[in-house]
Structures are given as structure tokens and as C-alpha cells.
Amino acid sequence: MPFRVIDDRFKPRLRTLALLVLAVGGQVITAAVVQAGENVTIPRYQPEIGTVHTYRIQKTTETDMSLWFDKPEAAAMVMRGDFRQQTAVVSRDDKGMRVRWVLSADLPPAALSTADSYPMNAQYRNSLTAYGVQQLEVETDLTGYPTALAGADQIVAHMESLIAAPGPGGATVPADSVASRMVQAVKDNPLKVVDVLIPEVIALSLGQASQDATIEVGSAWSAKGDESIGDGIVSATSAWKLVSTDSARRIATFSMLQSFDPAALQAATKAPTEKIIAGFGERAKQLTDEQMTRVLSPQKSRDLTLVVSLQDGSTVEALDNVTVDSAGTKLTIVTHIWRDDQLPTLPEPPAWKAKVVSAQSVSPLGQTTTQPSDLEGFNGEAKSGAPAEQQAAAEPPKAIAPISLKIAKAETTRDPLYGETVVSIVLTPDSAKVFGDFTRAAIGQKTQLLVGETVILEPVVREPILQGMITINGFDTTKAQGLAEQLSAPNAAITVRLAP
């Protein structure tokens, strides 16, 4: 993606409800009553120890690249995932809690259609395999916000064993590979595992307070914070409101609209935006002034709704909508979470039943030897895990002719997250179109990229690649520079074909 977003999630942050009562960490909170209404007491978060809860999680991502590609499908690239995860509080004291999550990539019984239309589930299964876990135990503060991960050493050891295992022909993973950088990232901050496998706990904790708070329905307040985006730190303002209460169901509904400083966002994303513009060459020159203004003016926003229980202060439902529009590409990520002992009141993600949903096959990683653990030891009435994911009928591979791609530019760059040297390739506009058509037809199939007669990459196509840009990693710096020079020669080309 042209816009890399790394949420600064695991640093001290604003507590939403608790800050109505206390000034925490020197943050500035402003409050204003926008509508008179009854007072309601939001209780502090008091989950019962050992009680098992199951959360249903529906996710969609919707990508719009129609500014760069004049094709209907460029404005309707949708992916989705459907999950059921179990959780229980193991212990609690006056400083925090220990929470266990049992994780599954299986589709819930009520899933809309066959497994191949939920590529996020297959990707999540690979993530569980890569980390070697099917449950996590997390230390949290009194709002449920993660502060530490138990068993991080075992996760790192598992990841290192995967890297150390020789591949085909005895090949080993280079020391400066992306996989090695991922291991180091977990060593540096084990909570990154939480961010990948159960990011929902972050949204849920935003509605949970560490102490009781009495608020007037309709009252509003704001909070300021910072987020790491691209090459900089961008300030954000969150506007909160207690929208309504339902005395019969004993719930309160909060809304939060988060906006980001435009100037800081533009500065933080300037370098990747300029690279995208250069990569599109002639197409970029054809953009109108209005279109170029959009390309150069990134925007990010978040619209979050939380439903909080007035009995124990827990978040029982959330609808999180994050939109990023940067360098001419718009990405919308929507997550709907609800506890399955509560009837959902918020709408499903807008793209949940889109007519065009990416049906993709993700190649599975080797299965982890870690056995699943359930939560029934806490509660004799706990339900067992979700049934196995339904499998779609296998289809024979499609016959797709090899293609030859012309190159507009090839250069080595440093991956901004892991520091690895990669080869960035920009295709000519005609080749970009050919490559987009090829990848659209080859979804779910293993392919080969060849320079001359040498296979340099064997990726599985997971989604259409319409940007006309290819990144090749896995080489050391010297080999990467040599490949970039070879591809910069006049009439240089890459052949792409289905793997034999």
C-alpha cells in the first residue's frame, strides 16, 4: 500500500470515560454539554473472573483505485473475514487483569457463503501458524488495555524455528529477511502479536473505564493524542459523545469521531506519495488539478461507536470505521464486534454483502503443533469452539499464458518498517494493465517471476495487483543492487507465468 499506517497503540493513551472524572497523564480534556438530558452512571469495568464470553467479529476492507485505473473493478475491491473468538478474565487485582483469548480462524456457522469468499480467515489461519499459538494470555490495565504478553519467549522460539528450517533445495532465510525482521519486532515489543491477532481488544478497551463516572446523556468532550504515520508523528483529536441509553437493555451508546492534523499528515506521507506519482508516469500527467490535489492531500478519519453495559461496564458491541485516502488510493476498514449473548444493535459493515467480494485462495503455512485450548475449565456451561471452516469445492487451475512485462524504473530501496533492502519495480502503463489482468485471472495460484531464465520469485496471487508496481525482497543488499541494475537496462523485462 502507498500509505503505511502504524498505530501508536501500545504507548500511554487517553482513557475515554475515566478522563471525565480524573485528569490523567497531563492530557487536556475539554467538555461541553450539547444537549440537556438525564444523568447516567457508567460503572467501572468489572468483568467476572472465569466467565467465558464469545465475540463475533466481522471485518471488511474496501479499496478504491479508480483514480489511477479507469476500470469499474478498481473501485470495488472488497475483502472480508468472519470470526468467533472466546475470552475470559483469569485473574484481577487492584492494578490490572490477566485475560485469556482462545483464537480460531474457523468460519462461524452463520457465515454467508463458502470459505473462499473470506480470504481474511485464511490469512488469519496463517498468522496463527506463524506465531505458533491458538490462544494468548494478556496482562491488561483495569480498562482491559494490553500492557504485556505472557509466553512471548515461546512465540519467538517458534518463529525462529520456522526460519531456521531449510526450504526447497536446502535454502535458508537470509539474516536480513523480512521474516527475521518480524521476529526482531516481536522481541522488541511482544505486544505486536496482540496487535496482529486480537486488535479488537484495543477498540473494546476504549469504552471501558477504571472507575465509575456519572455523565449527562448528550454531553460531549474531546481528547488529543498522537499517532505514528509514515515518516512522522501526527496529532489527532477525538470528539466523544454519550449518544443515548437504553434502560430496558441496560446499555449506553457512545460515539467517537477522530480527525488528524492535515499538515502533519501531508508531511508524514510526502515521500511515499512522490514515489507513487513518479511510478505512474504518464497517467499522473493526465490527472486534473482537482485529482492531483487529492493525491497530494492525504486524509485519515475514524468513526467509532461503542455500546457499553450499565451492569459491569464492559463493551458489548463496537463498530469501527477507519478511512485512509492517500496518494490517490482510498482504503476503508470496517470492523463490527459484538458479544454473542447480546443482540447486535449496530449495522453490519457497509460492504459486508457487496456484490463483488474478492474470492481468494491463500496457501496455508505448515500447521502448528500447538494444540487448541478451550475455556471450559472456567465455566462448565461454556460452549465449545466453532465448527471447522467449510471448504469450497476445488477447481482445476486456470490456463493462463505467460506474459512479458516492460519496466519503466527499477531501484533498490529500504523497507521503512524492517530496514530490509528491496527492489522496487515500476511497470510501464501498458504492462501495468497486462499485469493487472494476469493477476486478476490467477488469484489463488502460484506464479513465477523470471529475469531471463532465472526464477527470482514464486508468489501466490492473493488479490489483483493494479498499481503496476512490484516489490521483490529476500535478497541481500549486493544481490538486490545487481538485480536493480539488470532491470534498469534498455529493453529489460520480467516474464510472469503460472508455476509448473
Side-chain angles (χ1 to χ4, degrees):
M1 291 301 300
F3 188 87
R4 184 185 294 273
V5 178
I6 306 173
D7 288 342
D8 206 10
R9 298 178 176 183
F10 299 118
K11 294 183 178 180
R13 59 156 173 81
L14 295 172
R15 300 291 183 233
T16 59
L17 304 183
L19 282 171
L20 293 175
V21 184
L22 297 175
V24 176
Q27 299 287 354
V28 178
I29 302 299
T30 59
V33 176
V34 297
Q35 176 181 341
E38 63 177 341
N39 289 335
V40 60
T41 297
I42 308 297
R44 67 184 183 277
Y45 180 43
Q46 301 180 81
E48 293 184 4
I49 296 175
T51 299
V52 179
H53 290 297
T54 300
Y55 283 89
R56 180 79 175 270
I57 303 166
Q58 295 178 338
K59 298 182 180 182
T60 62
T61 62
E62 188 172 6
T63 306
D64 183 348
M65 297 191 67
S66 56
L67 183 143
W68 294 114
F69 297 95
D70 189 18
K71 298 179 180 180
E73 60 268 28
M77 292 182 285
V78 177
M79 292 178 63
R80 67 182 174 193
D82 199 348
F83 309 88
R84 292 174 76 242
Q85 313 291 27
Q86 285 187 316
T87 184
V89 175
V90 178
S91 61
R92 183 178 67 235
D93 57 26
D94 59 355
K95 295 182 179 179
M97 298 176 289
R98 189 181 184 96
V99 182
R100 179 175 299 163
W101 283 81
V102 173
L103 310 173
S104 173
D106 294 340
L107 282 174
L112 290 175
S113 54
T114 55
D116 64 345
S117 66
Y118 296 92
M120 288 187 190
N121 287 71
Q123 292 172 351
Y124 189 75
R125 190 182 305 281
N126 278 351
S127 295
L128 295 176
T129 300
Y131 290 119
V133 298
Q134 289 182 304
Q135 72 173 34
L136 289 180
E137 289 202 5
V138 183
E139 302 289 342
T140 77
D141 65 13
L142 293 174
T143 72
Y145 187 81
T147 58
L149 174 65
D153 290 345
Q154 290 90 337
I155 292 174
V156 169
H158 175 82
M159 297 175 73
E160 289 180 331
S161 69
L162 290 180
I163 293 176
T172 58
V173 177
D176 62 347
S177 68
V178 171
S180 299
R181 298 287 179 177
M182 290 176 64
V183 174
Q184 188 59 49
V186 175
K187 289 181 178 179
D188 294 340
N189 183 3
L191 284 172
K192 288 188 179 295
V193 178
V194 177
D195 194 25
V196 172
L197 297 183
I198 45 173
E200 295 76 26
V201 301
I202 309 298
L204 295 174
S205 70
L206 288 172
Q208 296 165 171
S210 58
Q211 63 182 55
D212 297 348
T214 299
I215 314 173
E216 186 176 279
V217 176
S219 62
W221 63 98
S222 64
K224 294 186 179 295
D226 295 322
E227 188 170 302
S228 176
I229 298 177
D231 297 326
I233 302 298
V234 180
S235 61
T237 301
S238 301
W240 285 88
K241 182 178 180 180
L242 173 55
V243 178
S244 64
T245 62
D246 186 329
S247 58
R249 297 189 60 193
R250 299 289 294 156
I251 57 174
T253 300
F254 293 85
S255 68
M256 186 271 277
L257 295 175
Q258 188 177 40
S259 58
F260 295 79
D261 178 73
L265 191 59
Q266 186 175 34
T269 60
K270 180 179 179 181
T273 297
E274 290 176 347
K275 183 172 291 188
I276 292 293
I277 294 173
F280 276 101
E282 290 302 316
R283 172 57 181 165
K285 295 177 183 178
Q286 297 170 3
L287 298 181
T288 66
D289 290 343
E290 182 179 355
Q291 289 172 324
M292 184 57 72
T293 298
R294 176 192 161 190
V295 171
L296 297 174
S297 304
Q299 298 181 19
K300 181 181 179 182
S301 63
R302 184 182 187 185
D303 185 348
L304 174 65
T305 303
L306 299 170
V307 179
V308 177
S309 168
L310 297 180
Q311 296 176 311
D312 64 2
S314 62
T315 301
V316 295
E317 188 176 6
L319 183 63
D320 197 5
N321 188 323
V322 178
T323 300
V324 178
D325 192 339
S326 178
T329 297
K330 184 177 181 180
L331 174 66
T332 303
I333 306 170
V334 183
T335 306
H336 185 198
I337 316 163
W338 71 94
R339 216 167 66 187
D340 72 352
D341 62 345
Q342 304 282 323
L343 290 175
T345 61
L346 304 177
E348 63 191 12
W352 185 247
K353 295 180 181 177
K355 292 183 179 179
V356 181
V357 177
S358 297
Q360 302 175 18
S361 174
V362 179
S363 297
L365 297 176
Q367 293 302 307
T368 174
T369 57
T370 304
Q371 294 300 312
S373 171
D374 59 42
L375 295 173
E376 296 188 48
F378 290 105
N379 185 338
E381 297 179 356
K383 298 178 181 179
S384 61
E389 182 176 342
Q390 303 172 19
Q391 297 296 323
E395 296 181 1
K398 301 174 183 177
I400 307 172
I403 57 174
S404 179
L405 303 175
K406 295 182 179 180
I407 299 169
K409 184 196 305 185
E411 60 182 356
T412 58
T413 60
R414 299 290 289 181
D415 183 282
L417 182 58
Y418 300 109
E420 180 187 35
T421 300
V422 300
V423 181
S424 295
I425 300 170
V426 179
L427 302 175
T428 63
D430 288 345
S431 288
K433 179 182 182 303
V434 172
F435 189 49
D437 293 340
F438 178 93
T439 55
R440 187 179 298 107
I443 285 175
Q445 300 193 58
K446 186 176 182 180
T447 62
Q448 293 181 331
L449 275 66
L450 296 88
V451 177
E453 300 298 322
T454 303
V455 177
I456 61 172
L457 197 65
E458 292 190 308
V460 174
V461 179
R462 308 193 193 287
E463 60 184 324
I465 301 173
L466 305 179
Q467 304 98 319
M469 302 180 70
I470 303 173
T471 299
I472 300 176
N473 55 24
F475 294 106
D476 60 30
T477 300
T478 300
K479 291 183 179 179
Q481 290 174 343
L483 178 60
E485 291 175 2
Q486 184 178 359
L487 295 177
S488 297
N491 300 318
I494 290 180
T495 299
V496 183
R497 68 188 183 192
L498 295 183

